[in-house]
Amino acid sequence: MTTDLDCLFCKINAGEIPAKMVLQTDKITAFLDINPQAPTHVLVIHKVHTASLSETEDPQVLLEVMQGVQAVAKKLSLTDYRVAINNGASAGQTVFHLHAHVLAGRKLEWPPG
Ligand code: AMP
Ligand code: ZN
């Protein structure tokens, strides 16, 4: 399994840093965002470390992250929700381990800021 010893989300994957788990499989971890931007704000990460969407070479990782999003929505009975991936610092990425935000529970404006 590819991990980065200095990566916050790899540490959450490993259980070294606590997080409020939503679900975990052998492929992905889903947990509550520490600074929620909506009543429901879940982060879905893969067990494999890749820094960002554009640096992810294995399409299986992308598939499994999206399957993780679906599983979160099903588990939380979400019908309307937004999935966001910030790619690069100027797009708002602050943690460089690929993650999908799942936001729900309020009216979500478009376009986002
Ligand atoms: P991004 O800005 O797209 O890279 O998203 C990173 C997200 O990680 C932000 O929404 C943060 O609030 C969230 N975050 C940072 N540290 C933690 C943590 N220890 N546990 C849960 N979420 C975190
Ligand atoms: Zn990582």
Side-chain angles (χ1 to χ4, degrees):
M1 198 61 73
T2 314
T3 56
D4 179 333
L5 291 176
D6 294 326
C7 171
L8 173 66
F9 286 177
C10 283
K11 288 178 180 164
I12 287 178
N13 267 332
E16 291 167 11
I17 289 179
K20 290 185 179 164
M21 291 298 161
V22 175
L23 66 87
Q24 256 183 317
T25 71
D26 58 331
K27 309 290 186 196
I28 62 100
T29 302
F31 54 97
L32 298 183
D33 196 295
I34 205 167
N35 182 24
Q37 301 302 310
T40 299
H41 188 169
V42 178
L43 300 175
V44 179
I45 65 175
H46 203 278
K47 297 269 163 100
V48 170
H49 175 92
T50 54
S52 66
L53 179 62
S54 55
E55 289 174 60
T56 303
E57 292 175 353
D58 184 354
Q60 194 66 24
V61 169
L62 303 179
L63 173 71
E64 287 163 0
V65 168
M66 281 302 149
Q67 288 176 323
V69 169
Q70 281 186 318
V72 166
K74 190 170 182 186
K75 179 161 189 184
L76 301 182
S77 300
L78 306 178
T79 54
D80 296 20
Y81 56 91
R82 180 168 295 160
V83 183
I85 295 175
N86 297 326
N87 188 79
S90 300
Q93 187 174 6
T94 58
V95 178
F96 286 82
H97 178 129
L98 172 66
H99 53 281
H101 297 256
V102 182
L103 298 147
R106 67 169 170 83
K107 176 92 171 75
L108 296 163
E109 304 300 331
W110 192 262

